[in-house]
Every structure is written in structure tokens, then in C-alpha cells.
Amino acid sequence: MTDRHNIYELFEEIHMEAFANQSVGEMLKELNALIGPFDKLSDGELVTRLSGYKKSPYHVQ
């Protein structure tokens, strides 16, 4: 799988697990603040940070 495909899958999984009651836009704004500005990260770094966030016990609301 490509990094881009992994990014979309991770966003979808995180949205369902941690932001189910929020819109996609709200989730993206919060994640952007939590794991770093998306526009400054390479695809590989974004996958790494999203994976780390997903594995974190603190992400489940």
C-alpha cells in the first residue's frame, strides 16, 4: 500500500474510534493541532504520527 492510501485508512479508523460524534472537518482540525501541521509533514511522517496516535491509549473518547 502507498503512504497516501494508509493515510486515508488511518483517518477513517481514527474518526470511527475517537471522533465518531464529530464531523470530518472537526476531526482534521483537532488532529492537525495534536500531531503537527499536516502541510509541513511528508506522507511517511504523517503515517507514522497517525499510527502512533491510533495506538495511543489517550485517543479513545
Side-chain angles (χ1 to χ4, degrees):
M1 283 198 273
T2 64
D3 284 340
R4 189 58 54 151
H5 185 75
N6 289 335
I7 290 168
Y8 294 130
E9 284 191 0
L10 285 164
F11 276 143
E12 183 177 359
E13 291 169 9
I14 291 170
H15 186 243
M16 288 187 297
E17 292 175 12
F19 298 94
N21 296 326
Q22 295 179 344
S23 70
V24 172
E26 291 170 329
M27 175 201 68
L28 291 173
K29 285 181 187 177
E30 195 164 332
L31 282 176
N32 192 52
L34 289 171
I35 66 170
F38 297 152
D39 61 336
K40 304 285 188 214
L41 302 174
S42 68
D43 285 356
E45 182 64 22
L46 185 54
V47 167
T48 300
R49 291 187 185 196
L50 287 170
S51 295
Y53 179 81
K54 186 175 179 308
K55 292 176 185 173
S56 167
Y58 307 108
H59 84 278
V60 179
Q61 293 182 356

